[in-house]
Every structure is written in structure tokens, then in C-alpha cells.
Amino acid sequence: MKNNFPYADIVDLPRPVSKNHPEATMSDRAARFSPFAAITGYEEMVQEAARVTQRRIDLSEDEKARLNEKLNALLAGERENPGATFTYFVEDEKKSGGAYVAVSGKVRRVDLYFGWVELLGGERIPFEDILEIETEG
């Protein structure tokens, strides 16, 4: 080494060991230098902001009439507990928009007063949220 190196006299000495404190394990020593979350919940906020929602599709009058015909066919009860697949809009709880989901099942009843279709599993689908109805058979 160079003679003018300021710490030349101590650079080759062994690391000092404390008589009062136990030596930290390698994982404890590494934890002191690991990154930490400076802002709690920041990662979740970024993921939530990046999550994409869909906008509700506004149906034309013709499309509404077609859905009304399909609902009337379900209401007429051509057969007991007809099966159908409903594609409908579910509002997002945290941000504007939502998602379209499809659920299949047997229709328990169609309630014209409250404006929803109830499936045998108990799920209620509001008329205004329905995008498509596909009947079985």
C-alpha cells in the first residue's frame, strides 16, 4: 500500500469484538441494510390505481326491447326453473366503473316490482345491469 494512506496502520487489524454485547447474526446484520416501506400502503395504492375498470355500456332501445322479450319468456315460465346465462354489470366498490360478469344458473323468479331476476343460488341481478341473456335449450 501507499505510505500516505491515512489508515494504513489499522487496515489489516481484525474486527473488534465486544465483551458486553453478543455478536449479531448475518441475517440480523443484513436486515439493517435492507429496504423498508417508507410509506405504508403505497404499493397497494399503486396497484389499485393501475387496476382497470370497465364503463357501463348504454343499450339502444332495440337492444333493450330484445332483452325485454327474453325476460318475458323467462317470466312466462315456459318450463319450470329455466336455465340461463346472464352477463351483467357489477359496480366497482373503490373506483368509478366496474366489470361485466357472466353467471349461469336456473331462474328462480323474475320480480317485476323490484326489477330483478333471482337465481336458485339466491343471486339477484337487477334488470338495468343486464347486458345479455342466453337461455338454455
Side-chain angles (χ1 to χ4, degrees):
M1 289 192 178
K2 293 182 180 179
N3 291 340
N4 60 357
F5 181 65
Y7 303 106
D9 58 334
I10 64 169
V11 77
D12 292 323
L13 292 177
R15 187 174 64 84
V17 177
S18 173
K19 295 177 185 171
N20 299 329
H21 304 288
E23 187 173 345
T25 64
M26 286 300 265
S27 62
D28 288 341
R29 292 180 68 193
R32 294 178 186 165
F33 300 102
S34 66
F36 66 97
I39 303 173
T40 304
Y42 178 73
E43 188 66 31
E44 291 80 15
M45 289 173 23
V46 169
Q47 289 175 349
E48 178 62 27
R51 189 170 55 86
V52 177
T53 57
Q54 295 175 317
R55 296 176 68 188
R56 183 187 298 265
I57 297 172
D58 292 327
L59 298 177
S60 68
E61 292 302 318
D62 291 338
E63 292 169 322
K64 288 178 185 178
R66 183 180 46 80
L67 284 178
N68 193 35
E69 289 174 10
K70 290 183 179 184
L71 281 172
N72 284 333
L74 290 173
L75 185 62
E78 297 167 349
R79 58 179 196 214
E80 190 65 28
N81 294 333
T85 299
F86 295 89
T87 303
Y88 66 100
F89 187 76
V90 177
E91 196 78 34
D92 194 290
E93 296 178 1
K94 295 184 179 181
K95 57 198 291 189
S96 66
Y100 280 94
V101 296
V103 63
S104 297
K106 301 282 185 180
V107 177
R108 182 177 192 179
R109 70 179 189 174
V110 177
D111 191 317
L112 296 175
Y113 183 76
F114 289 107
W116 44 257
V117 176
E118 183 177 8
L119 302 180
L120 283 178
E123 186 167 2
R124 292 181 179 173
I125 305 168
F127 291 162
E128 67 269 6
D129 293 339
I130 298 174
L131 177 68
E132 181 63 48
I133 301 172
E134 295 176 20
T135 56
E136 295 177 359

